Amino acid sequence: MDMTNALTISAAGMDAQSTRLQVIAENLANVDTTGTTPGAAPYQRQTVTFSDQMDQATGAPLVGVSDIGTDPAPDPLKYDPANPAADKQGYVKMPNVNEMVEIMDMQQAERSYSANLSVMQASRSMLDRTLALLQ
Amino acid sequence: MSLSLMQTASARLGYLSDAQNLLAGNLANIDTPGYQPAGVLPFADYLNNTGGQVPMLQDDPSDLPGVAAASPAANPVSAAGEHSLDGNAVSLDQQLVAIAKNSADQQFTANLYQTYMGMFKTALGSTG
């Protein structure tokens, strides 16, 4: 019956989405991060996984980040003999970050964030109307 | 004047508040793999669960004896909308529509309650 639960749930959703956005920003910032020695592994794309978590105190179905892992996809090779990370054949292992995938993911995170925000606004105005009954 | 409208309105406000919590939970889990959204029990069923007459709710063991609070989340409904690849069945548009409806219903009930209170005040004021 507690109206503030809805605000807590939406806040948890927004928190999870901003962690996701942070991971996307890391991936995009490291889109060209290669190793420094020949044949060294480049930056590995980070992935974020959500899970539903029951709040013990209120029984509210919150959401949280359950795991930040790495993408096991193979690293693409790029021919660049001048790079310090180039192997004997002149190929450099590039990070397995796809900018298109990241940008799409970013837009989805933004959409989910604003959905949570509008629920929070709706819950707040409901709360305001209930409190106005006291007047 | 009967007080039953007040009781019904207050039960309705409690129900809408519970429903809002439920819908907020569904939307927060919109990107959780395999999450199934919970459906909101219709108000009539919610009232039936609590004995039809809108009895006093007992949320806490220390409250006065009453009926245990029925949760509107009693029937998990699988949404007929989109299913994403990770098995999540929350549909953004359906949930947002439900939230908008919930908010409008709450406004209606709050206004009704306020109007009724105004009538009460008028009736009380005319005697004194």
Side-chain angles (χ1 to χ4, degrees):
Chain A
M1 290 277 267
D2 193 356
M3 197 69 200
T4 50
N5 270 357
L7 297 178
T8 314
I9 297 165
S10 298
M14 285 158 78
D15 201 30
Q17 295 300 337
S18 48
T19 308
R20 181 185 183 187
L21 215 54
Q22 196 183 326
V23 169
I24 294 167
E26 269 175 48
N27 286 340
L28 273 178
N30 286 294
V31 73
D32 287 318
T33 305
T34 59
T36 47
T37 52
Y43 172 82
Q44 290 288 307
R45 176 175 180 255
Q46 308 270 308
T47 57
V48 60
T49 318
F50 294 156
S51 69
D52 51 330
Q53 297 166 350
M54 191 66 86
D55 186 359
Q56 292 291 338
T58 59
L62 299 182
V63 65
V65 174
S66 65
D67 182 41
I68 295 181
T70 48
D71 188 348
D75 302 320
L77 294 174
K78 184 183 162 195
Y79 186 69
D80 184 9
N83 194 305
D87 61 10
K88 281 178 191 149
Q89 285 80 36
Y91 284 99
V92 181
K93 279 183 182 169
M94 297 303 287
N96 55 355
V97 177
N98 185 338
E99 283 140 310
M100 289 303 160
V101 171
E102 297 302 324
I103 286 172
M104 202 202 69
D105 214 23
M106 186 170 78
Q107 281 178 348
Q108 207 174 19
E110 199 184 340
R111 200 177 72 143
S112 301
Y113 187 92
S114 58
N116 276 302
L117 191 65
S118 41
V119 177
M120 196 178 246
Q121 277 164 344
S123 306
R124 271 205 58 188
S125 49
M126 280 172 73
L127 198 58
D128 284 349
R129 281 196 292 268
T130 309
L131 289 176
L133 290 179
L134 291 171
Q135 291 169 1
Chain B
M1 269 187 175
S2 118
L3 283 170
S4 71
L5 193 141
M6 293 255 178
Q7 285 177 339
T8 314
S10 115
R12 177 87 174 149
L13 287 176
Y15 164 80
L16 291 170
S17 157
D18 280 2
Q20 183 75 5
N21 287 345
L22 191 84
L23 294 168
N26 283 347
L27 255 190
N29 283 293
I30 195 161
D31 292 311
T32 303
Y35 184 83
Q36 296 289 318
V40 180
L41 198 72
F43 185 55
D45 296 349
Y46 179 79
L47 283 185
N48 283 337
N49 279 3
T50 55
Q53 268 284 309
V54 198
M56 186 157 58
L57 289 185
Q58 187 178 15
D59 288 328
D60 196 88
S62 62
D63 287 354
L64 288 171
V67 186
S71 165
N75 60 339
V77 176
S78 73
E82 55 196 277
H83 273 64
S84 63
L85 289 175
D86 60 11
N88 187 300
V90 183
S91 159
L92 179 67
D93 9 344
Q94 283 179 4
Q95 296 296 324
L96 283 179
V97 165
I99 285 164
K101 190 178 167 297
N102 205 43
S103 187
D105 283 354
Q106 205 260 359
Q107 188 166 20
F108 172 72
T109 314
N111 284 345
L112 199 69
Y113 190 91
Q114 226 158 11
T115 311
Y116 202 63
M117 275 302 264
M119 284 164 67
F120 247 110
K121 279 176 190 160
T122 311
L124 290 173
S126 64
T127 57

